[in-house]
């Protein structure tokens, strides 16, 4: 994978590369993190830590009712993402399929694998509601792909991921939280019972994603501060960011972000 600049953000702290094979392909610059069973707040979660071009993926097991994948990385790595998901599902007790895909936002490094994953697994897709109409008519300008020179294979969502709602995914309940700033339509997912925050690009261990509205001459940093304040108010035990390794020092990350 590329070690250059991420397409929709800065450069989070790099993590070591791991090479392994599954489904007959070489998987480079990816860490497959099945969280230790001793860490109860992360039981049933697998995090695929990717490189600069692709976002992380989070696989939520459904206890036999079907798994959910959070974000699908860049389209150039879609085959790799499929292989990672298949491998993880084969290891899951009990074995189950992928029934649902969720996007935290629609930058190409987070949703580029949507079309391939939907085709391979026949999974439904939920997206934040703010760009629903743009996706339906596939407006590459409104979706930012054309202006930023990013490619994203066209995908078709089946439902909206609305801030304020709660999703029951397996044994966990996730609150959908609005997280504008890096992207005006972005969301986070928070499991209050276990203290797990899927922060996307709203918070990394060292900073947060580039605030794109500011580049277009629109305000965005006030939204960033409000989202950071929201995160600070939550009983977070572990953060799974959009890029970089999961971390537990949320307070330290917030201090660095501010």
């Amino acid at each position: 994978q590329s070690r250059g600049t991420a397409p929709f953000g800065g450069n989070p702290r790099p993590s070591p590369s791991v090479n392994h094979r599954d489904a007959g392909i070489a998987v480079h610059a990816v860490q497959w993190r099945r969280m230790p069973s001793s860490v109860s707040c992360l039981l049933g979660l697998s995090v695929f830590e990717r490189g600069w071009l692709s976002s992380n993926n989070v696989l939520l097991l459904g206890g036999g009712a079907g798994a959910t994948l959070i974000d699908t990385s860049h389209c150039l790595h879609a085959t790799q993402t499929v292989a990672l998901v298949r491998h993880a599902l084969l290891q899951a007790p009990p074995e189950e399929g992928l029934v649902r895909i969720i996007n935290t936002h629609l930058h190409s490094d987070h949703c580029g694998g949507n079309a391939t994953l939907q085709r391979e697994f026949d999974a439904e897709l939920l997206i934040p509601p703010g760009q629903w109409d743009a996706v339906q008519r596939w407006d590459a300008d409104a979706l930012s792909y054309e202006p930023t020179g990013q490619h994203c294979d066209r995908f078709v969502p089946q439902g909206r991921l609305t801030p304020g709602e709660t999703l029951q995914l397996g044994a966990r309940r996730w609150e959908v939280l609005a997280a504008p700033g890096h992207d005006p339509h972005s969301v986070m997912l928070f499991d209050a019972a276990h203290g797990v925050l899927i922060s996307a690009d709203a918070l990394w261990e060292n900073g947060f994603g580039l605030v794109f509205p500011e580049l277009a001459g629109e305000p965005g940093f006030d939204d960033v501060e409000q989202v950071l304040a929201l995160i600070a108010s939550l009983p977070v035990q572990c953060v799974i960011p959009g890029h970089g390794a999961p971390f537990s020092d949320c307070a330290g990350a917030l201090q660095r972000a501010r």
Side-chain angles (χ1 to χ4, degrees):
Q1 289 188 359
S2 170
R3 287 288 181 178
T5 302
F8 284 104
N11 289 335
R13 186 176 64 185
S15 56
S17 297
V18 173
N19 294 339
H20 69 274
R21 290 182 178 274
D22 55 60
I25 68 168
V27 181
H28 300 287
V30 173
Q31 290 204 39
W32 175 29
R33 296 175 179 269
R34 182 175 294 285
M35 298 305 179
S37 59
S38 59
V39 184
S40 60
C41 68
L42 296 174
L43 282 174
L45 303 185
S46 292
V47 180
F48 308 144
E49 186 187 344
R50 313 299 289 266
W52 302 121
L53 181 60
S54 284
S55 72
N56 293 341
N57 321 114
V58 185
L59 186 68
L60 311 175
L61 300 181
T68 299
L69 185 70
I70 311 298
D71 288 333
T72 60
S73 299
H74 197 276
C75 62
L76 292 179
H77 300 143
T79 300
Q80 189 179 86
T81 305
V82 169
L84 287 165
V85 171
R86 288 196 189 282
H87 181 78
L89 290 175
L90 286 173
Q91 308 301 313
E95 185 177 333
E96 60 186 346
L98 182 72
V99 299
R100 186 179 301 104
I101 298 166
I102 287 174
N103 290 142
T104 58
H105 58 296
L106 299 184
H107 287 170
S108 64
D109 58 330
H110 286 256
C111 68
N114 284 0
T116 299
L117 271 289
Q118 284 187 285
R119 184 168 59 250
E120 292 291 327
F121 294 98
D122 193 27
E124 70 168 348
L125 171 64
L126 306 180
I127 67 171
Q131 293 180 302
W132 178 268
D133 290 340
V135 171
Q136 297 301 319
R137 65 180 185 271
W138 201 251
D139 186 335
D141 285 315
L143 292 169
S144 78
Y145 306 141
E146 189 68 31
T148 57
Q150 296 296 318
H151 178 73
C152 184
D153 293 334
R154 185 169 186 170
F155 54 82
V156 179
Q158 282 71 53
R160 296 170 173 84
L161 188 68
T162 305
E165 72 175 331
T166 301
L167 301 177
Q168 184 74 45
L169 304 175
R172 295 172 180 261
R173 291 176 61 83
W174 297 87
E175 301 173 41
V176 182
L177 306 174
H182 168 67
D183 177 84
H185 311 291
S186 185
V187 300
M188 305 182 294
L189 297 174
F190 182 57
D191 171 11
H194 299 87
V196 179
L197 177 69
I198 299 175
S199 63
D201 292 340
L203 180 67
W204 297 335
E205 190 170 12
N206 291 283
F208 47 82
L210 186 65
V211 184
F212 276 87
E214 292 283 343
L215 296 182
E218 300 175 3
F221 285 114
D222 286 346
D223 286 337
V224 170
E225 177 53 39
Q226 291 176 17
V227 171
L228 295 178
L230 170 62
I231 294 173
S233 73
L234 301 173
V236 176
Q237 295 186 43
C238 178
V239 179
I240 303 175
H243 299 271
F247 58 91
S248 58
D249 185 11
C250 184
L254 286 168
Q255 185 176 20
R256 289 186 290 275
R258 288 167 159 165

